[in-house]
Amino acid sequence: MTDLLRLQDIKVYFRSRAGLFKTVEVKAVDGVSLSLGRGETLALVGESGCGKTTLARTSLRLIRPTSGRIIFDGADITHLPESELKWFRRKAQAIFQDPYSSIDPFMTVKQILEEPLILHKIGSREERMEMIARALEDVKLTPVEEFMGKYPHMLSGGQRQRVVIARALILRPEYIAADEPVSMIDASSRAEILYLMKELQERYGVGFLYITHDIATARHFSDRIAVMYLGKIVEMAEPRELIENPLHPYTQALIEAVPEPDPNNRFRERKVIPGEPPSPINPPPGCKFHPRCPYVMDRCRTEEPQLQEIKKGHLVACHLY
Amino acid sequence: MSVGRDALREFWASKVSKMGVALLVLLVVVSVYVVLTYPLDFGLRYWNNPAYWADNPKAVPPEWWNLFTDKKLPPHVIKDFHEPSDVRDQRGRRILEYVYSFDFQYDEFPSFLSISLNNVTFSSRRPPRVEIFLDRPDNISVRLLRFTVTGPRPGEEAPYFRYVEAPNRVRITGDKNVFSALSAMLKKYYGLSIRPSEVGEIGAEKVAFGEPSGDGFKVLRGRYVLRAVVTGYDEDVDVGMLRMVVGGRVYGFSGTDTLGRDLAVGLLFGFPIALLIGFLTSTVTTIIGAITGVISGYMGGKVDTGIQRLSDIILNIPLLPILIFFTFVLGTEIPRLWVIIAILIAFSWPSLTIVVRPMVLQIRESQFVEAAVAIGAPRLWIMFRHIFPQVAPFVFAQLIFFTPSAILAEAALSFLGLGDPSMPTWGQILETGFRSGGVYIGYWWWVLPPGLLIVFAAITFVLIALGLEPVVNPRLRRMK
Amino acid sequence: MGVLRTIGIRALTLIGVVIAVLLMLVIVLGVTGLSDKMLKAIADQILMEIRQGLAREIKDPEALKAAIEQQRMEIYAAFGLDKPWYARIPDMVVRVMTFDLGYTRTIKSFTGSQRVADIIWERLPNTILLVTTAIAISAVLGLIIGVKVATRPGSRLDRVASYFSAISFALPTWWTGIIFIFVFAFYFRLFPFGGMYSAPPPEEPLARFLDLLWHAALPVTTLVVALVGSWIYVTRTIVLNTAQEDFVAAARAKGLPESVVRRRYIIRVAAPPILTNIVLGLAGSIGGAIITETVFQWPGMGSLYYQAIFSLEENLIIALTFIFTVVYVAARFILEILYIVLDPRVRY
């Protein structure tokens, strides 16, 4: 069975003006390859600035990669003009981070949910109303009639994000890229929304690219986790394997950083990554992590490690292996 | 839409808006009234037709002026007779007598005296004879005038109809025979030797309604009777309507101009025209400006650059000289009004484009716009379903703001003589007043009201725009 | 380097504008047949002179007629009248630019000449005098009052100023002028009805200057009233917006005295957008100038427009439209250079 989505050696470089005459190249994504199977959830974990949002947008062809290929359902959509992408847009949807700005404040919930249906000419008026009602029920925004007429500013952050999810699912897409879907939602509602997404994903068999900086939620929600640092994937494995046996020093530090509720461990010293997250404008040579790596070797300063399968299903890019 | 309701509440809160809306309602009501009651070709048929205004006094102030002056000015009196006051049959002749008696207690002479005959019928070969008498309070009775209705033409058969389409109008105080009659009266009753031509120079109305005093004439106050006697030579003699006009020195609500046109009528006509010009121009300008602004901001690239260059060029061209040029050159082929509106629109839209564009640039980066792309919305859809509603409130406020400019521009053009002469817009009326030197002679009632109305209309919209401002610009809301 | 480049681009754009206007004028003239009319008038004038010369030399009427006809064809060809109007476009453009548009029918210059160029040149300084004075006064007043009002938002002064601005914006210039004439010239007999000097003008320079001032008082005031309203309002709004910015609050928090804050932070930053609005308001000034001159019969280009319209002198109108455009464009250019000097952000 072909993969749903395959990203081959995607590079996304931006040019930006810094000061009077200089232009600067930002290597947001610097050679990433991954594949997503149908109905699978791949979590992409990393700090701010590591390029995961850019990668998500590229996977949806909202940005064109500087090089590399995007293959969706066997079709190369890297360079297709927008006019030929309509079929893709129906099968691939997005859930963005900020529920306050990702829906049009001048539209009612009904209009927001109806828009994708109208654009893709789905169903008659009555059929669409039914689909909208069902979508609202899916995300547990009931009673449905009450919510249909509301405007976004009348809803809470959690409710808005449910609308966003409903909108993403109403076309029954095969692929959804969710960029930090719960980071702007109150902590109390987060779990609920995540479980909702998981339930709907299983019900409708959607492939998810789940982007987050929170490795804890990634563990619960995904089939595979990929760790990204400064535009490159440094480790990828199944959640359990990754958490129990993190190979890359960066992954190890990320896991260490997750607070543990066990009071007995409260005096354990944790390893903290020294230094600050670097900027993608001036990446360090060789292994991009080497300035902060506790195990740095000479080789790390000059040679970039490649992503290799060390154990079955467990890839890592590090000279330690 | 509750966003709209909040906006409305904010708008309504200030006194300025209330005043503006009140004035606007007034403007609209008057305009509707005018549109419903005036014929569409009013301009050509009535306004520019001197015959229609022939019975009005020329260049007199409005009636209410009498409240403010010490000298009481006589009002304008038009007496229409559909039936004679008295009919007598005498020696085979039928005599129709029309009597109008009035009490003249004013400090100024009437401006003129005239008589019109409408729809005269007779069947004898000898046409009827008309005589006009004036009985004065000092018991002097003058036969001012005597004339005969046009006789039967060769081949014409009885009954004979005269003055059916157009009345026969005689301006008594301008008639040489009347001068002679008055001259004779002066000689007979006052022993004065004043030649008929001199009577004409002094002014027949002064002699007819006055008594000699010192070097000139003083108004003779008292009871006057104006009698028109029509002597016919058959039983069928009939006058459909006889009109006597004692010209006043005040008239109507707004006075008259040098052609005798009732300025109130003309000014009223200006209401809907002003609103039409204002709204049409500003609506179309706003639409074009908003659309180009949205397209330019969203599409970017060559389209954006193109629109920006075009806007830049247009904005660098001074409006009035170009307006003058085009109106002058094209105004002979195409009705001036449309030329003015077209040019105003063509040269005003970029000013909105350059303001909308940066707003669109900012909105374009919003996440919901990106989400719309992800859903698969084509560019046009995004521009008008998502981006346009965001700029709509501002655009609407601009629409209100453009309207007075359009009205003022048209007025300015009319003032310079480039208006549409067939239609009495406020600017036109003012222009005629100015050109005839009204300013220097002091015809304030002619020159001030049109300007006042223009200001009034412009202020209406400015007030509304001021009231809209805090709605559209939230920063100003903070201060209230 | 960036500054020069920006200025250069601006200059090119503005030249482009002038050319665009010229083209537009010429094309419209061609389409409506007016250019034919005008050129013919000029050609015929020359023809007439030649005819007199020829008549003196050639006595035979047939030969005379033939000679005249031949001259006519040559002259017409020289003017391009034998070609359709669009072939003459470049020629017409040059003509308009140099005011080589022939003679007027009735309007004369002060010195009696009837050449279009003469008439316009001698009126130009009068208009510039009037307009620049009015603009200068309005700008200064507008700025001072605008800033004063902006530092006290919501006060009574502020509200009065707002109402005044709104009214001033709605007041048509010509009406204000007429009212002024009514009140001050007709009723109070304080100022003259119009014109630039009394007739005859006083000889002595000082008296002459005072006479000029006396005549200029009403028109200048009219113009100022028309302009100052919107300028006060615009200044007020911009200064208010700037004053609310955080960096101003920061400056105050630093303990800088209010006058310094006002000068360096508020006014300096608000100056560029205020300038932009002044630039935009220039168009209004030109319109206002035309009308004010007409109302007060100030012998400048504006009232010339009025007379030309009345007498149907199309060549004057064309020339005037062109020169107004040039003046306007030039003024904008100067102001934009000022803008670039004042606002460092634009330079790059």
Side-chain angles (χ1 to χ4, degrees):
Chain A
M1 188 169 71
T2 43
D3 288 328
L4 177 65
L5 173 70
R6 217 155 21 112
L7 299 173
Q8 282 181 345
D9 198 28
I10 296 284
K11 293 192 173 120
V12 185
Y13 296 171
F14 293 118
R15 288 186 164 271
S16 147
R17 277 222 336 218
L20 232 60
F21 294 108
K22 288 196 301 173
T23 48
V24 150
E25 201 173 51
V26 179
K27 297 192 176 141
V29 178
D30 197 8
V32 165
S33 301
L34 45 81
S35 57
L36 185 71
R38 290 175 196 286
E40 182 193 1
T41 303
L42 173 63
L44 201 53
V45 177
E47 295 166 309
S48 330
C50 71
K52 48 194 204 296
T53 302
T54 313
L55 189 64
R57 280 186 161 74
T58 311
S59 78
L60 284 172
R61 250 302 298 277
L62 290 172
I63 304 177
R64 283 199 207 203
T66 316
S67 74
R69 299 206 299 161
I70 311 166
I71 302 185
F72 183 83
D73 214 1
D76 185 342
I77 62 167
T78 324
H79 296 294
L80 284 184
E82 191 64 43
S83 46
E84 290 178 39
L85 274 181
K86 200 135 191 203
W87 63 271
F88 171 67
R89 296 259 172 256
R90 185 173 167 178
K91 296 196 186 183
Q93 285 298 310
I95 296 178
F96 289 118
Q97 182 177 17
D98 183 355
Y100 293 89
S101 62
S102 51
I103 41 183
D104 190 333
F106 280 115
M107 290 166 84
T108 59
V109 168
K110 165 186 167 299
Q111 289 169 325
I112 294 173
L113 292 180
E114 199 178 9
E115 191 182 11
L117 299 174
I118 298 180
L119 282 172
H120 292 273
K121 301 196 188 21
I122 298 180
S124 68
R125 210 131 186 267
E126 297 80 35
E127 286 169 354
R128 289 203 286 261
M129 290 303 289
E130 241 197 76
M131 293 169 82
I132 294 174
R134 237 180 308 140
L136 283 171
E137 281 168 357
D138 275 349
V139 296
K140 311 221 180 1
L141 281 179
T142 51
V144 171
E145 301 78 33
E146 204 183 288
F147 279 99
M148 281 223 217
K150 282 198 193 265
Y151 282 92
H153 64 270
M154 297 173 177
L155 305 169
S156 74
Q159 288 171 326
R160 272 186 242 198
Q161 200 65 316
R162 287 173 199 259
V163 173
V164 172
I165 296 172
R167 176 175 69 182
L169 285 169
I170 201 165
L171 285 175
R172 298 281 177 268
E174 297 173 5
Y175 167 55
I176 289 186
D179 187 356
E180 311 230 27
V182 291
S183 6
M184 287 185 74
I185 306 217
D186 305 329
S188 42
S189 320
R190 258 178 224 173
E192 208 184 319
I193 305 262
L194 283 174
Y195 276 120
L196 178 66
M197 286 206 295
K198 178 110 189 124
E199 178 199 348
L200 292 170
Q201 184 221 2
E202 282 172 0
R203 193 188 311 170
Y204 295 120
V206 187
F208 251 82
L209 182 66
Y210 172 54
I211 306 209
T212 179
H213 59 270
D214 179 2
I215 211 170
T217 56
R219 166 168 55 181
H220 288 290
F221 195 43
S222 55
D223 302 314
R224 266 187 307 153
I225 303 184
V227 180
M228 220 172 141
Y229 186 79
L230 221 53
K232 282 185 156 13
I233 299 203
V234 296
E235 187 162 358
M236 182 150 64
E238 282 180 28
R240 207 171 144 138
E241 168 72 18
L242 191 83
I243 306 266
E244 287 175 8
N245 297 319
L247 296 177
H248 196 285
Y250 179 58
T251 321
Q252 292 165 355
L254 275 182
I255 294 173
E256 281 285 295
V258 175
E260 252 185 69
D262 188 353
N264 291 327
N265 285 331
R266 67 185 186 272
F267 292 119
R268 180 166 69 85
E269 254 191 31
R270 298 155 186 269
K271 280 189 268 192
V272 167
I273 319 176
E276 291 190 7
S279 103
I281 296 180
N282 232 347
C287 170
K288 301 237 193 311
F289 186 63
H290 82 253
R292 301 162 83 189
C293 184
Y295 309 114
V296 59
M297 307 180 295
D298 279 327
R299 193 175 170 208
C300 304
R301 291 182 228 272
T302 49
E303 203 183 311
E304 270 204 66
Q306 297 301 313
L307 197 62
Q308 294 166 322
E309 192 163 7
I310 302 297
K311 290 202 291 204
K312 179 154 198 304
H314 194 149
L315 298 91
V316 72
C318 182
H319 290 306
L320 288 173
Y321 307 98
Chain B
M1 198 168 105
S2 87
V3 183
R5 228 177 297 147
D6 279 335
L8 260 172
R9 215 177 312 143
E10 180 80 37
F11 171 69
W12 202 244
S14 67
K15 261 188 294 181
V16 179
S17 328
K18 289 202 187 70
M19 237 191 328
V21 172
L23 290 180
L24 180 66
V25 166
L26 189 60
L27 276 178
V28 171
V29 163
V30 174
S31 301
V32 168
Y33 167 74
V34 171
V35 168
L36 289 177
T37 51
Y38 280 36
L40 274 173
D41 57 350
F42 172 78
L44 289 164
R45 186 133 63 99
Y46 295 113
W47 190 250
N48 286 327
N49 182 5
Y52 187 72
W53 309 99
D55 286 329
N56 283 358
K58 313 271 179 273
V60 294
E63 279 187 5
W64 45 265
W65 182 236
N66 256 333
L67 297 169
F68 297 99
T69 49
D70 356 299
K71 272 180 136 191
K72 291 291 163 244
L73 302 168
H76 190 70
V77 178
I78 299 182
K79 188 100 176 91
D80 287 341
F81 293 89
H82 295 278
E83 279 178 6
S85 322
D86 183 41
V87 179
R88 291 195 300 273
D89 279 317
Q90 210 179 16
R91 288 186 282 156
R93 300 173 215 192
R94 167 155 289 195
I95 300 185
L96 309 169
E97 190 161 347
Y98 299 84
V99 177
Y100 176 48
S101 134
F102 56 97
D103 195 10
F104 196 82
Q105 297 291 345
Y106 302 99
D107 300 316
E108 266 291 332
F109 301 97
S111 45
F112 67 91
L113 211 60
S114 81
I115 267 207
S116 317
L117 289 154
N118 209 330
N119 238 326
V120 174
T121 321
F122 61 98
S123 52
S124 126
R125 295 216 50 95
R126 196 170 160 194
R129 189 182 67 201
V130 181
E131 292 165 296
I132 315 284
F133 296 90
L134 181 68
D135 303 331
R136 293 161 40 119
D138 54 1
N139 289 323
I140 300 179
S141 184
V142 190
R143 187 180 71 180
L144 292 170
L145 190 62
R146 173 178 138 158
F147 63 93
T148 321
V149 174
T150 325
R153 288 183 285 272
E156 201 185 353
E157 299 216 344
Y160 308 104
F161 300 100
R162 293 286 177 267
Y163 318 131
V164 178
E165 291 107 30
N168 178 21
R169 197 174 168 276
V170 179
R171 202 181 172 86
I172 297 176
T173 41
D175 194 294
K176 285 212 199 65
N177 299 314
V178 174
F179 300 160
S180 306
L182 287 171
S183 166
M185 172 199 89
L186 286 174
K187 180 126 195 145
K188 181 168 167 194
Y189 292 94
Y190 288 100
L192 288 172
S193 272
I194 301 188
R195 291 198 301 273
S197 56
E198 282 174 46
V199 171
E201 276 166 25
I202 297 171
E205 66 276 356
K206 289 208 177 82
V207 178
F209 287 90
E211 53 187 356
S213 152
D215 264 343
F217 283 81
K218 197 178 66 176
V219 173
L220 178 64
R221 303 165 102 180
R223 191 143 206 78
Y224 285 81
V225 182
L226 191 59
R227 279 181 299 129
V229 179
V230 178
T231 311
Y233 298 94
D234 54 81
E235 293 176 335
D236 300 316
V237 111
D238 181 62
V239 176
M241 186 187 80
L242 184 127
R243 168 179 284 189
M244 296 185 186
V245 182
V246 181
R249 293 214 175 253
V250 286
Y251 186 83
F253 195 68
S254 308
T256 61
D257 65 2
T258 43
L259 282 179
R261 296 187 284 206
D262 184 357
L263 286 172
V265 165
L267 289 173
L268 274 182
F269 194 76
F271 275 82
I273 299 229
L275 279 188
L276 170 74
I277 295 176
F279 271 135
L280 187 60
T281 312
S282 71
T283 310
V284 177
T285 307
T286 313
I287 291 179
I288 297 182
I291 292 182
T292 45
V294 168
I295 292 182
S296 170
Y298 188 72
M299 307 254 274
K302 288 212 199 87
V303 174
D304 183 22
T305 321
I307 293 183
Q308 271 194 291
R309 285 271 162 271
L310 185 62
S311 306
D312 205 14
I313 292 184
I314 293 183
L315 281 178
N316 265 305
I317 300 179
L319 186 61
L320 193 58
I322 292 288
L323 259 178
I324 293 179
F325 176 73
F326 273 105
T327 320
F328 183 78
V329 167
L330 296 175
T332 40
E333 334 257 324
I334 312 171
R336 289 249 174 95
L337 196 63
W338 300 118
V339 175
I340 294 177
I341 292 183
I343 299 293
L344 276 176
I345 294 177
F347 284 87
S348 305
W349 63 261
S351 57
L352 187 60
T353 310
I354 56 172
V355 184
V356 168
R357 181 179 168 275
M359 292 171 79
V360 171
L361 282 178
Q362 210 191 4
I363 298 173
R364 189 173 66 162
E365 308 303 321
S366 313
Q367 263 192 357
F368 65 85
V369 170
E370 202 176 10
V373 176
I375 301 180
R379 278 190 304 192
L380 235 82
W381 176 277
I382 295 182
M383 283 196 281
F384 290 103
R385 197 80 179 72
H386 290 281
I387 298 192
F388 191 77
Q390 300 274 337
V391 297
F394 174 75
V395 164
F396 183 69
Q398 282 302 106
L399 195 153
I400 304 289
F401 211 65
F402 265 145
T403 313
S405 311
I407 297 180
L408 287 170
E410 184 275 330
L413 276 182
S414 290
F415 176 72
L416 288 174
L418 288 166
D420 197 331
S422 69
M423 278 196 285
T425 67
W426 294 330
Q428 273 296 112
I429 296 180
L430 198 90
E431 187 262 348
T432 327
F434 184 69
R435 230 190 253 271
S436 57
V439 182
Y440 307 110
I441 306 180
Y443 288 160
W444 55 267
W445 63 90
W446 192 356
V447 164
L448 288 182
L452 215 64
L453 283 175
I454 295 177
V455 171
F456 163 71
I459 288 193
T460 308
F461 292 102
V462 169
L463 285 178
I464 297 184
L466 269 182
L468 273 178
E469 212 199 3
V471 175
V472 167
N473 188 355
R475 254 196 246 179
L476 287 167
R477 252 185 263 190
R478 237 194 281 162
M479 283 192 320
K480 279 200 194 273
Chain C
M1 261 331 104
V3 193
L4 281 180
R5 193 161 158 267
T6 324
I7 295 183
I9 295 184
R10 258 348 246 155
L12 270 172
T13 320
L14 291 178
I15 293 180
V17 171
V18 175
I19 294 183
V21 172
L22 272 174
L23 277 176
M24 190 170 57
L25 287 182
V26 168
I27 290 179
V28 171
L29 284 175
V31 169
T32 52
L34 270 180
S35 60
D36 278 354
K37 218 163 75 156
M38 273 172 23
L39 284 179
K40 248 207 217 145
I42 304 178
D44 285 341
Q45 180 93 356
I46 299 181
L47 194 63
M48 207 156 25
E49 289 163 19
I50 294 186
R51 177 189 292 225
Q52 292 178 344
L54 280 178
R56 261 180 269 139
E57 296 185 14
I58 307 180
K59 292 303 170 191
D60 177 21
E62 286 297 317
L64 184 62
K65 237 206 298 194
I68 290 179
E69 184 59 30
Q70 193 196 13
Q71 286 293 327
R72 188 180 74 80
M73 292 205 318
E74 274 177 28
I75 292 181
Y76 273 26
F79 276 88
L81 276 166
D82 50 346
K83 289 181 275 193
W85 60 267
Y86 36 84
R88 292 198 298 267
I89 288 185
D91 174 61
M92 280 300 286
V93 169
V94 172
R95 263 186 200 285
V96 176
M97 261 179 16
T98 52
F99 295 151
D100 181 10
L101 290 164
Y103 297 84
T104 62
R105 278 195 281 274
T106 44
I107 300 183
K108 288 204 184 39
S109 75
F110 301 136
T111 49
S113 155
Q114 273 190 295
R115 277 184 63 220
V116 168
D118 293 339
I119 302 179
I120 293 191
W121 282 125
E122 70 183 5
R123 294 205 178 212
L124 182 61
N126 298 342
T127 302
I128 294 197
L129 175 69
L130 186 67
V131 175
T132 3
T133 317
I135 291 186
I137 297 182
S138 306
V140 167
L141 268 181
L143 275 172
I144 296 181
I145 300 184
V147 168
K148 204 160 192 113
V149 158
T151 50
R152 269 184 222 111
S155 68
R156 173 172 319 162
L157 177 66
D158 180 23
R159 261 176 297 139
V160 166
S162 296
Y163 286 139
F164 176 69
S165 310
I167 296 182
S168 138
F169 177 75
L171 275 182
T173 325
W174 37 269
W175 197 65
T176 324
I178 290 182
I179 295 206
F180 277 162
I181 294 183
F182 253 141
V183 174
F184 293 108
F186 186 70
Y187 208 66
F188 285 125
R189 308 214 176 265
L190 271 179
F191 288 98
F193 278 94
M196 201 161 130
Y197 292 102
S198 316
E203 290 293 323
E204 201 210 354
L206 182 65
R208 198 184 165 92
F209 182 64
L210 285 177
D211 187 41
L212 176 67
L213 277 184
W214 188 53
H215 276 87
L218 282 184
V220 169
T221 316
T222 309
L223 266 181
V224 167
V225 164
L227 292 173
V228 86
S230 59
W231 277 358
I232 292 181
Y233 188 70
V234 160
T235 310
R236 167 190 171 275
T237 312
I238 293 181
V239 170
L240 255 178
N241 282 347
T242 319
Q244 283 178 357
E245 297 274 355
D246 291 335
F247 64 83
V248 171
R252 282 207 189 97
K254 272 199 271 185
L256 290 172
E258 187 63 28
S259 60
V260 175
V261 171
R262 199 182 310 156
R263 205 176 358 109
R264 245 198 283 162
Y265 288 86
I266 300 186
I267 296 188
R268 186 91 208 286
V269 172
I274 293 181
L275 213 54
T276 319
N277 275 286
I278 293 185
V279 166
L280 287 176
L282 262 189
S285 318
I286 288 199
I290 295 180
I291 291 175
T292 309
E293 282 190 16
T294 308
V295 171
F296 288 96
Q297 295 184 321
W298 183 267
M301 297 194 302
S303 59
L304 185 61
Y305 240 141
Y306 184 63
Q307 292 174 322
I309 295 172
F310 193 62
S311 322
L312 298 175
E313 305 267 15
E314 55 279 340
N315 20 12
L316 266 183
I317 292 184
I318 297 166
L320 281 169
T321 310
F322 175 65
I323 203 177
F324 268 114
T325 309
V326 170
V327 165
Y328 183 63
V329 166
R332 285 194 73 147
F333 185 59
I334 294 177
L335 279 165
E336 284 184 25
I337 294 187
L338 266 177
Y339 186 90
I340 291 178
V341 164
L342 281 178
D343 188 352
R345 289 177 289 181
V346 190
R347 288 185 214 167
Y348 311 104

